[in-house]
Amino acid sequence: MRLLLPLGLAALLVAAGCSKDKDVEPPAKLVKFPETLPVKKLWGEGVGGGKKQLVLRLGLGPAADNGIVFAASHKGEVLATSLETGRQLWVKKLKAPISAGPGAGFGMVVVGTSKGGIIALDGASGHDLWRSRVNSELLSAPAIGEKVVVMRSVDGRLHGFDAHTGKELWSVEQQVPRLSLRGTATPIISKEAAISGFDNGKIMAVSLNSGDTVWDTALASPHGRTELDRLVDIDAAVHVVGDNVFATGFQGRTAMLAADSGQVWWSHDMSSYRGLAVDADNLYVTQSDGIVVALRQRDGSELWRTLKLKLRGLSAPVLTSTAVVVADYQGYVHWLDKATGELVAREHITKQRVTNTPVAIGDTVVVMTDGGKMAAYRANPAAARAAPAPKPAAAPPPAAAPAPEPVAPAPEAPTSPAPASPPDAPPPAP
């Protein structure tokens, strides 16, 4: 039987077990700093909020394609908004409890429901394209390819569907532990493979055409005496740059793997359930404790880390041309300088947690709170270079620690395959 526990609760229990006689550390207070990056709010939009959406927030994040931002609510509403103007283009009201998505690409938008339904819509009009179904709850956005749509379900399965008809082409499975964090990793499509993390600490690459396993690597193995100690979920999407895959997991490792074989080239012990972002040279990780860390892609060496947002329940990072952007449990959005990790801008949407990863298109960032408030902001690095006169940011009032988050069941830990000999020019292991 699988058990579900809030993620925040798990973290608090682990912290309490580590220091029985110490007070729980509060979230970092936001303080004034010179705002050196001009940021402008472009527009704001509401997306059918409510108590149920707050509970089922894990898979309901924004997506963008062809200059259109898509969002969904648990009430069954899917809407399309112009990225530039915020003008609503269409709204589709589905009679289904949406819990996953939307995912967008190749002119279509796809959502999943808490009852296993999958609905594909035309991105330009919102008209139905096809519907399909799996036998489990869906909690993460799909990956959309030209020929195949890939979805991860809570029962540990990765499914491939024909992008034109919705017919299920294949399904593969990983074992699910008795206890895991509530949530599932968003799969990604790279070349001819679908790649996803699983609750047992494994990453698997699957052929898009056949569903055959290309490789299967353990990013972390469970250890410890309690079920909480043994959580090693990978709930964040992996990122592919060239021939390398970058991944991070809860109570596990952040690592670089070979895209063709799954061989681990370097890794660091690091816990993250939100995820990472990658640019041409570096990667940026939001740790479980809210510390943001920048690492060099080639060898995993640390470039900087900042504790200024520690324990603020941060989202996964996204990247603009010059900044790393994260949002927190009080609805604040923070821009950090890519080179130094220093705070350069801050905006406040509303007093609601931001759980899902924002979307970055160039220097524009779209953020959606758990209550359904969506807003777009645009940074202007050129103006920052031309007129570097800083303006102090208002320090918000102190607040209580972030509310705990849910945890879902997790599978038994597999062992990673024997490493192959490294290529001629791989980064050295630390």
Side-chain angles (χ1 to χ4, degrees):
M1 176 181 176
R2 296 186 65 201
L3 303 176
L4 299 175
L5 291 175
L7 179 64
L9 176 58
L12 289 174
L13 289 173
V14 170
C18 294
S19 57
K20 297 178 182 178
D21 300 324
K22 296 180 181 178
D23 294 333
V24 176
E25 184 179 355
K29 292 182 180 180
L30 300 184
V31 297
K32 294 180 180 180
F33 63 91
E35 289 198 359
T36 56
L37 178 65
V39 173
K40 175 185 178 182
K41 183 176 181 179
L42 298 182
W43 49 264
E45 177 71 85
V47 188
K51 292 183 178 179
K52 286 189 176 180
Q53 176 157 307
L54 285 168
V55 173
L56 292 169
R57 62 183 176 264
L58 287 172
L60 295 176
D65 183 43
N66 291 329
I68 302 175
V69 177
F70 303 95
S73 75
H74 181 70
K75 293 180 178 180
E77 181 180 274
V78 182
L79 67 82
T81 301
S82 167
L83 174 64
E84 286 297 319
T85 65
R87 183 173 66 89
Q88 195 173 100
L89 303 178
W90 54 259
V91 178
K92 181 80 170 184
K93 294 187 177 180
L94 305 171
K95 295 180 180 179
I98 300 174
S99 57
F106 293 94
M108 63 191 301
V109 56
V110 181
V111 296
T113 75
S114 56
K115 296 182 179 180
I118 302 165
I119 304 168
L121 306 173
D122 179 76
S125 65
H127 294 155
D128 277 40
L129 295 178
W130 50 260
R131 299 195 180 202
S132 191
R133 177 169 294 279
V134 296
N135 295 321
S136 181
E137 183 181 22
L138 297 165
L139 284 177
S140 61
I144 300 178
E146 186 176 3
K147 298 179 180 179
V148 183
V149 173
V150 182
M151 294 203 77
R152 257 277 276 128
S153 51
V154 171
D155 60 358
R157 288 185 175 273
L158 190 67
H159 307 264
F161 300 88
D162 186 290
H164 303 291
T165 66
K167 177 184 177 181
E168 185 167 2
L169 303 175
W170 48 261
S171 174
V172 295
E173 184 179 13
Q174 285 283 346
Q175 190 173 10
V176 180
R178 280 189 9 174
L179 182 68
S180 72
L181 304 179
R182 179 161 176 77
T184 58
T186 297
I188 65 106
I189 292 175
S190 175
K191 297 180 181 178
E192 296 301 316
I195 307 175
S196 180
F198 291 84
D199 298 338
N200 58 2
K202 277 195 171 184
I203 300 172
M204 183 165 62
V206 177
S207 167
L208 279 181
N209 296 322
S210 64
D212 294 337
T213 299
V214 179
W215 52 262
D216 182 346
T217 299
L219 188 66
S221 298
H223 60 274
R225 292 184 298 178
T226 70
E227 294 289 348
L228 286 175
D229 290 336
R230 295 175 63 81
L231 292 171
V232 289
D233 296 49
I234 301 174
D235 279 356
V238 302
H239 289 256
V240 177
V241 178
D243 295 326
N244 299 314
V245 177
F246 297 90
T248 188
F250 182 64
Q251 297 187 157
R253 297 185 291 171
T254 293
M256 184 179 87
L257 301 82
D260 60 349
S261 66
Q263 169 68 44
V264 177
W265 295 130
W266 60 255
S267 67
H268 290 300
D269 289 340
M270 191 177 292
S271 177
S272 174
Y273 52 85
R274 289 294 185 233
L276 52 79
V278 183
D279 61 18
D281 301 306
N282 306 318
L283 61 149
Y284 309 85
V285 185
T286 299
Q287 294 188 162
S288 302
D289 56 9
I291 295 175
V292 183
V293 182
L295 304 172
R296 195 185 309 279
Q297 271 192 35
R298 174 170 171 72
D299 55 13
S301 58
E302 185 172 316
L303 300 173
W304 55 257
R305 64 173 50 214
T306 179
L307 282 67
K308 293 181 179 179
L309 303 173
K310 187 176 181 181
L311 300 178
R312 293 194 61 83
L314 300 183
S315 69
V318 292
L319 304 178
T320 66
S321 62
T322 61
V324 181
V325 186
V326 293
D328 70 20
Y329 78 103
Q330 287 184 312
Y332 286 94
V333 187
H334 311 271
W335 282 254
L336 293 81
D337 184 86
K338 273 187 180 180
T340 65
E342 292 297 320
L343 286 162
V344 290
R346 177 188 294 143
E347 294 288 338
H348 191 215
I349 308 175
T350 184
K351 295 180 180 179
Q352 293 174 341
R353 175 192 292 269
V354 177
T355 295
N356 282 285
T357 308
V359 173
I361 308 96
D363 283 305
T364 301
V365 176
V366 180
V367 186
M368 184 174 174
T369 71
D370 294 351
K373 176 68 175 178
M374 186 165 62
Y377 299 93
R378 178 166 295 161
N380 189 344
R385 290 191 293 267
K391 80 170 174 170
E405 289 185 85
V407 177
E412 304 150 9
T415 57
S416 68
S421 54
D424 292 338

